[in-house]
């Protein structure tokens, strides 16, 4: 029952957002701020995540495969494709659910409990236009960019780990990766990260927007926002794989 | 003109108040008094449809507030300036920008005119030179005054003040009271002031609403209040006089 009520509330919030999406002048300034906060400021953590994911994946793949039977370049193929199809998007999104999602729900939740949202509304502003739209749009636009960064650094990480650990030379890694590089995999990854960007920013905005009960309420909203974001990222990952692969 | 008709509100099981009926004429200054937690702030938020009642209506200049479309509601809301109890300052921008905020979005004024207006408003609330401060660097009383400057910057028809003087020193309180009187007399603004402070009630208000026991327990003019024999009202006034 509570779940259905919340779903209704979430849908209503999105409907309101969609209806006022053309009031660009209201949220223009916030949009550029959010591009920076969600996109630009996430680059370091995304690069770090990418490099380590690629590196670990390379070591583990080499360990699991008996390379006497396969050409060593197969490690590059497996690592490259796994990163592009799945890992860059999903691990990136899970990290960003913590970083971006928590910030959004805390920020909007604090504005709710300190009556800043009431103040906006009382001035005749549509607070949804002002607060939710720029965050969700930034998520939708920036997550694919972050995905590409994660994928590139992931493959670089794999390549580095492979050559530093003496598993296979960089050239062979790249050759393997190239053999199994399909542009449609990148499209799939971009679509995924687009969806993840929407899921995380919209759920976090929603939880913050309806927070109540002081600092504790904001804390609860943020916990729920990150947990739900992670759950729905994994769920939508599964659904997209079933639909598109 | 604000008409409050049979308004009732509860949060879940908790009844806040019921059956409130009251009219507020244009240009009037009304004080809403009552114990902490009796629902004064909740009532104020109903006047702007920031909260919706369980029953009843609020009619503003002939428009039934709770039946308006969102677009119409936004127009009505622009007639109001509200000072929230905690100031409700936007903490992502500094003090100056908080006061300038409505001007930037709802007028076509140039930067120079905005600066002039904001500085004048900050001067009115005795905060010259604090414009550059981040809102987190302001004291409680300063936040309130910035909130007040922001509420009146567009010279609205109605100003709702939620405890404008609580947490202020007596001298600043006096100045804020003078400002409220100035606003209502010179600019003919309709003012609704929530306060615990009987001293300010006597100074600024023409009419008084007393919320008690989950209802509008007493209302009348200042003169009527002075000669009232209503027991709970007298208790309330007596208790607050000890605070002064
Ligand atoms: N959003 C809310 N959800 C649930 N209960 C609420 C909410 N807002 C207010 N209340 C309850 O409504 C009652 C009235 O609250 P309100 O803030 O209007 O009191 P008040 O008269 O303004 O008190 P004070 O003088 O201390 O500011 C309180 O019991 C409060 O707990
Ligand atoms: Mg209050």
């Amino acid at each position: 029952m509570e779940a259905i009520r919340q779903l209704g509330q979430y849908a209503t919030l999105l409907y309101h957002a969609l209806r006022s999406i053309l009031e660009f002048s209201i949220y223009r300034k916030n949009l550029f701020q959010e591009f920076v906060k969600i996109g630009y400021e996430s680059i370091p953590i995304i690069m770090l995540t990418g490099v380590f994911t690629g590196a670990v994946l390379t070591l583990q793949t080499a360990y699991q495969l008996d390379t006497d039977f396969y050409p060593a370049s197969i490690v590059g193929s497996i690592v490259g494709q796994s990163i592009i199809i799945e890992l860059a998007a999903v691990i990136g999104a899970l990290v960003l659910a913590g970083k971006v999602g928590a910030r959004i729900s805390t920020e909007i939740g604090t504005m709710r409990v300190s009556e800043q949202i009431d103040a906006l509304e009382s001035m005749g502003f549509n607070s949804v236009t002002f607060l939710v739209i720029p965050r969700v749009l930034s998520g939708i636009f920036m997550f694919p960019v972050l995905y590409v960064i994660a994928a590139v650094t992931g493959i670089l990480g794999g390549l580095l780990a492979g050559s530093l650990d003496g598993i296979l030379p960089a050239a062979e890694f790249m050759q393997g990766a190239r053999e199994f590089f399909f542009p449609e995999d990148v499209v799939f990854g971009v679509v995924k990260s687009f969806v993840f960007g929407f899921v995380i920013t919209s759920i976090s905005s929603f939880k913050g927007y309806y927070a109540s009960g002081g600092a504790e309420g904001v804390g609860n909203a943020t916990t729920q926002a990150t947990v739900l974001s992670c759950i729905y990222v994994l769920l939508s990952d599964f659904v997209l794989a079933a639909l598109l692969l | 003109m604000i008409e409050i008709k049979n308004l009732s509100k509860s949060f879940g099981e908790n009844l806040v108040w019921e059956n409130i009926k009251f009219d507020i004429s244009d240009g009037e200054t009304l004080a809403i008094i009552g114990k902490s937690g009796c629902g004064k702030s909740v009532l104020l938020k109903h006047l702007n449809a920031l909260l919706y009642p369980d029953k009843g209506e609020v009619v503003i200049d002939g428009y039934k507030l709770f039946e308006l479309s969102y677009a119409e509601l936004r127009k009505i809301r622009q007639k109001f300036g509200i000072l929230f109890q905690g100031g409700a300052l936007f903490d992502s921008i500094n003090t100056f920008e908080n006061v300038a905020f409505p001007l930037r979005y709802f007028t076509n004024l140039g930067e120079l005119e905005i600066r002039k207006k904001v500085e004048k408003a900050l001067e009115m609330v005795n905060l010259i030179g604090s414009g550059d401060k981040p809102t987190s660097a302001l004291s409680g009383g300063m936040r309130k005054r910035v909130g007040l400057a922001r509420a009146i910057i567009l010279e609205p028809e109605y100003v709702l003040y939620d405890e404008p003087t609580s947490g202020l020193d007596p001298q600043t309180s006096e100045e804020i009271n003078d400002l409220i009187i100035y606003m209502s007399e010179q600019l003919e603004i309709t003012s609704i002031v929530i306060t615990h402070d009987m001293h300010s009630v006597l100074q600024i208000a023409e009419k008084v609403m007393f919320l008690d026991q989950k209802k509008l327990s007493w209302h009348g003019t200042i003169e009527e209040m002075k000669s009232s024999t209503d027991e709970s009202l007298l208790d309330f006034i007596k208790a607050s006089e000890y605070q002064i």
Side-chain angles (χ1 to χ4, degrees):
Chain A
M1 203 53 220
E2 173 63 16
I4 292 173
R5 196 185 62 82
Q6 291 224 1
L7 194 67
Q9 236 177 8
Y10 175 68
T12 314
L13 187 75
L14 291 182
Y15 170 70
H16 277 295
L18 204 61
R19 242 182 22 169
S20 57
I21 200 154
L22 292 179
E23 297 177 39
F24 182 66
S25 63
I26 299 284
Y27 62 84
R28 185 186 56 220
K29 223 164 113 200
N30 289 6
L31 185 65
F32 292 126
Q33 266 172 17
E34 291 301 321
F35 275 163
V36 172
K37 282 191 189 167
I38 293 178
Y40 182 71
E41 289 178 7
S42 298
I43 292 176
I45 185 82
I46 276 299
M47 288 176 75
L48 195 74
T49 311
V51 166
F52 278 96
T53 307
V56 172
L57 191 62
T58 298
L59 299 187
Q60 290 188 351
T61 308
Y63 172 74
Q64 282 175 292
L65 288 175
D66 189 348
T67 37
D68 286 346
F69 286 102
Y70 308 98
S73 68
I74 192 91
V75 173
S77 312
I78 294 177
V79 169
Q81 209 180 16
S82 312
I83 285 182
I84 289 175
I85 294 187
E86 173 74 4
L87 295 175
V90 173
I91 298 192
L94 293 177
V95 168
L96 294 177
K99 182 183 178 293
V100 170
R103 181 185 62 78
I104 290 178
S105 56
T106 311
E107 238 171 40
I108 299 185
T110 305
M111 292 189 73
R112 164 63 73 192
V113 301
S114 64
E115 298 180 317
Q116 292 176 51
I117 291 183
D118 281 342
L120 278 174
E121 286 285 333
S122 76
M123 288 175 191
F125 270 99
N126 183 338
S127 57
V128 178
T129 319
F130 199 70
L131 299 173
V132 178
I133 291 182
R135 288 172 170 82
V136 175
L137 283 184
S138 297
I140 289 173
F141 288 125
M142 285 296 142
F143 271 53
V145 176
L146 293 171
Y147 156 75
V148 170
I149 295 174
V152 170
T153 52
I155 290 171
L156 280 178
L159 180 143
L160 275 177
S163 57
L164 289 180
D165 206 51
I167 298 167
L168 77 173
E172 238 176 288
F173 184 98
M174 276 320 288
Q175 183 215 330
R178 244 190 242 118
E179 257 167 44
F180 279 77
F181 174 79
F182 306 110
E184 58 265 36
D185 289 349
V186 178
V187 173
F188 183 52
V190 167
V191 170
K192 268 191 190 184
S193 54
F194 182 87
V195 172
F196 297 160
F198 173 77
V199 164
I200 291 172
T201 50
S202 64
I203 290 179
S204 308
S205 300
F206 163 68
K207 280 291 162 189
Y209 195 80
Y210 291 106
S212 64
E216 197 192 346
V218 177
N220 289 339
T222 299
T223 307
Q224 287 178 20
T226 41
V227 170
L228 284 177
S229 292
C230 289
I231 292 175
Y232 282 97
V233 161
L234 296 170
L235 213 66
S236 56
D237 187 33
F238 177 76
V239 172
L240 285 173
L243 285 179
L244 296 177
L245 278 189
Chain B
M1 166 106 179
I2 301 177
E3 299 156 72
I4 303 172
K5 295 182 175 173
N6 296 322
L7 212 60
S8 303
K9 176 69 180 177
S10 39
F11 289 106
E13 299 282 279
N14 284 331
L15 177 69
V16 183
W17 30 245
E18 59 186 344
N19 246 335
I20 295 191
K21 285 177 226 151
F22 200 78
D23 290 348
I24 304 159
S25 315
D26 287 346
E28 203 165 79
T29 301
L30 168 75
I32 302 178
I33 58 174
K35 294 189 189 104
S36 181
C38 71
K40 303 181 295 294
S41 298
V42 169
L43 179 59
L44 202 75
K45 286 184 182 174
H46 279 78
L47 302 184
N48 221 239
L50 295 171
L51 286 172
Y52 281 77
D54 305 329
K55 270 199 312 236
E57 266 172 31
V58 170
V59 184
I60 291 172
D61 297 339
Y63 295 96
K64 292 179 180 173
L65 200 58
F66 306 120
E67 293 170 15
L68 297 176
S69 72
Y70 188 60
E72 294 168 320
L73 176 61
R74 283 169 71 185
K75 284 218 189 75
I76 298 286
R77 280 175 170 168
Q78 288 177 24
K79 297 177 179 223
F80 283 79
I82 305 187
L83 165 62
F84 288 89
Q85 192 161 2
L89 303 183
F90 303 128
D91 42 29
S92 56
I93 49 182
N94 71 16
T95 301
F96 179 93
E97 286 302 324
N98 262 279
V99 183
F101 194 87
L103 294 174
R104 290 203 190 289
Y105 283 97
F106 293 113
T107 69
N108 296 318
L109 296 179
E111 192 56 41
L112 210 67
E113 286 160 298
I114 289 180
R115 187 152 287 278
K116 245 196 239 156
K117 272 194 171 247
V118 172
E119 266 156 20
K120 187 168 160 245
L122 285 175
E123 190 188 327
M124 285 215 284
V125 294
N126 225 341
L127 278 174
I128 310 167
S130 296
D132 293 335
K133 287 190 181 145
T135 58
S136 55
L138 301 175
S139 74
M142 287 162 96
R143 297 176 68 81
K144 205 143 246 181
R145 285 180 280 153
V146 176
L148 182 55
R150 189 181 65 185
I152 60 180
I153 192 87
L154 288 178
E155 298 181 3
E157 292 172 42
Y158 301 96
V159 184
L160 313 181
Y161 306 86
D162 198 342
E163 305 199 2
T165 57
S166 71
L168 299 185
D169 61 275
Q171 197 181 351
T172 312
S173 294
E174 204 76 3
E175 280 163 14
I176 295 298
N177 286 337
D178 288 344
L179 184 64
I180 294 173
I181 295 170
Y182 169 83
M183 298 285 299
S184 64
E185 284 180 359
Q186 301 298 311
L187 307 176
E188 293 177 6
I189 284 170
T190 309
S191 313
I192 298 167
V193 188
I194 291 179
T195 182
H196 291 289
D197 180 358
M198 285 314 291
H199 181 68
S200 7
V201 174
L202 293 173
Q203 238 185 343
I204 63 179
E206 292 152 18
K207 287 196 182 159
V208 179
M209 263 173 101
F210 175 52
L211 295 181
D212 193 36
Q213 289 159 2
K214 301 184 191 293
K215 60 184 197 309
L216 177 52
S217 159
W218 186 91
H219 64 90
T221 63
I222 289 286
E223 274 63 43
E224 286 164 349
M225 184 180 80
K226 283 177 184 159
S227 56
S228 168
T229 53
D230 187 277
E231 231 167 82
S232 48
L233 177 65
L234 288 177
D235 283 348
F236 181 83
I237 296 173
K238 213 165 165 195
S240 53
E241 265 168 357
Y242 288 125
Q243 285 174 6
I244 292 175

